[in-house]
């Protein structure tokens, strides 16, 4: 399948990043948001990162302009009708995603592949809202999407083999490193990383060690490129707590449940880098 045009639904943190990756790889993108303002905010985010790449001489001004020209914005779902591939990156809410997938059914052609970027919801349940679950896959990018290479290509029991192969090939075409996996809670990375980070946080209280020393332990003792507390601050404490709760709901393993320390931080608005304060102070 030669993908010329991709629809990206939702231009928040992930959608804007995914759209940027696509336009930089030479693919036309139709970005859909709920309001013109939010769509423009998505475009501004992409322009900001492309401008930064030009300043750092990692991208030419011509390539930046070409990439931005490949992006069109809309608030009308109907404008995705010409897309061979649609990637959904809206809020992490099952009802909202299911409503979108059933609406997309009416709009796109029969051959269009529908992908969800969900982190923690079952792809199978999202696919079930569509009349063509065999054409639905998970395409799980990591944040920031333009930087992190991995894409988990998630197969449900219904996904057709040619659809899966096309989604995998598309991820490669836009410069990503895909892996193949089944629709299980947390897929691969989060299934491993979330309980591991939760263990690191529990050790702070159990071993009376400071967050800074937990990070020193794992960077100098296990050769991690970044300490667990710095990583949670980067991910966002609220995002991590939400993902932990989803895995706990799905698997009922105590290690998946968010440690109380993290829940308190989220409640206090100490969300990490984005709020200026988390385990560490960024103000
Ligand atoms: N943030 C992460 O680290 C991360 C990583 C991987 C996957 N994800 C997943 O990606 C998805 C998006 O997450 P995010 O962090 O970008 O959220 P976000 O809140 O930054 O962005 C979501 C955007 O979707 C828009 N939106 C909501 N309903 C819409 C609709 N019907 N049509 C068009 N736009 C709509 C919102 O206006 C918002 O701009 C979620 O499923 C999340 O689980 C997030």
């Amino acid at each position: 399948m030669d993908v010329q045009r991709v629809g990206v639904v939702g231009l928040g943190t992930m959608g804007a990043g995914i759209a940027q990756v696509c336009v930089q790889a030479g693919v036309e993108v139709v970005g859909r948001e709920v309001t013109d303002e939010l769509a423009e905010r998505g475009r501004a985010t992409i322009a900001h990162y492309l401008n930064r790449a030009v300043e750092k001489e990692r991208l030419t001004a011509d390539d930046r302009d070409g990439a931005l020209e490949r992006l069109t914005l809309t608030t009308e779902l109907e404008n995705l009708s010409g897309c061979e591939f649609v990637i959904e990156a809206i809020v992490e809410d099952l009802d909202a995603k299911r409503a979108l997938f059933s609406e997309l059914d009416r709009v796109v052609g029969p051959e269009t592949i529908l992908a969800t970027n969900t982190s923690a919801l079952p792809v199978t349940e999202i696919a079930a809202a569509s009349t063509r679950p065999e054409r639905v896959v998970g395409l799980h990018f990591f944040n920031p999407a333009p930087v992190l290479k991995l894409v988990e290509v998630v197969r449900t029991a219904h996904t057709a083999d040619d659809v899966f192969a096309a989604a995998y090939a598309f991820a490669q075409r836009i410069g990503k490193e895909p892996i193949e996996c089944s629709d299980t809670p947390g897929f691969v990375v989060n299934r491993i990383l979330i309980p591991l980070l939760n263990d690191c946080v529990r050790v702070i209280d159990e071993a009376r060690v400071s967050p800074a020393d937990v990070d020193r332990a794992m960077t100098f003792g296990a050769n991690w490129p970044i300490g667990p507390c710095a990583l949670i601050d980067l991910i966002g404490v609220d995002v991590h707590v939400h993902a932990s709760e989803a895995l706990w709901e799905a698997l009922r393993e105590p290690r998946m449940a968010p440690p109380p320390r993290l829940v308190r931080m989220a409640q206090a608005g100490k969300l990490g880098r984005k709020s200026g304060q988390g385990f560490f102070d960024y103000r």
Side-chain angles (χ1 to χ4, degrees):
M1 179 186 236
D2 186 22
V3 180
Q4 305 286 342
R5 186 174 301 155
V6 170
V8 177
V9 187
L11 293 176
T13 308
M14 292 309 293
I18 294 166
Q20 181 185 331
V21 171
C22 292
V23 292
Q24 283 196 266
V27 179
E28 304 268 334
V29 170
V30 184
R32 194 256 179 155
E33 257 292 350
V34 284
T35 65
D36 290 328
E37 292 71 31
L38 286 169
E40 282 302 339
R41 191 189 65 178
R43 192 211 303 271
T45 304
I46 295 169
H48 170 77
Y49 287 115
L50 292 178
N51 283 334
R52 237 169 52 179
V54 172
E55 280 162 23
K56 291 185 176 169
E57 298 184 354
R58 283 193 269 107
L59 188 73
T60 68
D62 278 355
D63 285 346
R64 171 198 60 201
D65 296 346
L68 286 172
E69 275 166 24
R70 282 189 281 277
L71 174 68
T72 52
L73 302 175
T74 185
T75 55
E76 303 298 327
L77 211 57
E78 282 67 23
N79 289 332
L80 301 187
S81 62
C83 298
E84 297 101 357
F85 214 101
V86 174
I87 304 171
E88 168 276 310
I90 71 168
V91 281
E92 186 77 335
D93 177 280
L94 184 60
D95 290 341
K97 290 193 196 280
R98 283 177 57 91
L100 175 67
F101 272 67
S102 94
E103 265 188 279
L104 278 170
D105 255 0
R106 290 187 296 100
V107 171
V108 298
E111 294 299 309
T112 299
I113 294 176
L114 304 178
T116 173
N117 184 48
T118 183
S119 296
L121 298 169
V123 178
T124 311
E125 275 192 61
I126 298 168
S130 159
T131 56
R132 51 177 112 175
E134 69 285 357
R135 301 204 69 74
V136 178
V137 288
L139 214 51
H140 187 220
F141 290 78
F142 288 76
N143 186 20
V147 177
L148 293 181
K149 284 269 194 191
L150 181 68
V151 174
E152 293 172 333
V153 188
V154 183
R155 187 198 285 277
T156 76
H158 300 291
T159 310
D161 287 345
D162 63 323
V163 169
F164 184 85
Y168 193 95
F170 175 72
Q172 286 176 315
R173 173 171 168 207
I174 58 173
K176 293 298 175 192
E177 293 288 347
I179 62 161
E180 172 175 354
C181 62
S182 298
D183 184 24
T184 51
F187 311 133
V188 176
V189 170
N190 284 344
R191 170 68 183 78
I192 296 169
L193 188 61
I194 286 175
L196 187 53
L197 291 177
N198 285 341
D199 279 347
C200 294
V201 173
R202 289 193 178 96
V203 167
I204 294 173
D205 297 311
E206 286 166 16
R208 305 222 180 139
V209 56
S210 69
D213 274 358
V214 167
D215 278 17
R216 285 162 57 78
M218 296 312 287
T219 50
F220 296 131
N223 215 13
W224 284 22
I226 179 172
C229 298
L231 182 56
I232 293 172
D233 277 355
L234 195 65
I235 292 168
V237 174
D238 53 337
V239 171
H240 177 80
V241 166
H242 189 265
S244 297
E245 279 165 352
L247 270 185
W248 161 245
E249 286 292 320
L251 297 169
R252 292 287 163 191
E253 286 180 34
R255 291 177 67 228
M256 306 294 174
R261 174 188 276 267
L262 281 183
V263 175
R264 283 195 302 272
M265 283 171 68
Q267 286 165 345
K270 290 186 175 180
L271 307 181
R273 279 181 182 269
K274 63 184 166 191
S275 71
Q277 235 187 327
F279 284 105
F280 305 112
D281 203 325
Y282 303 93
R283 291 165 300 176

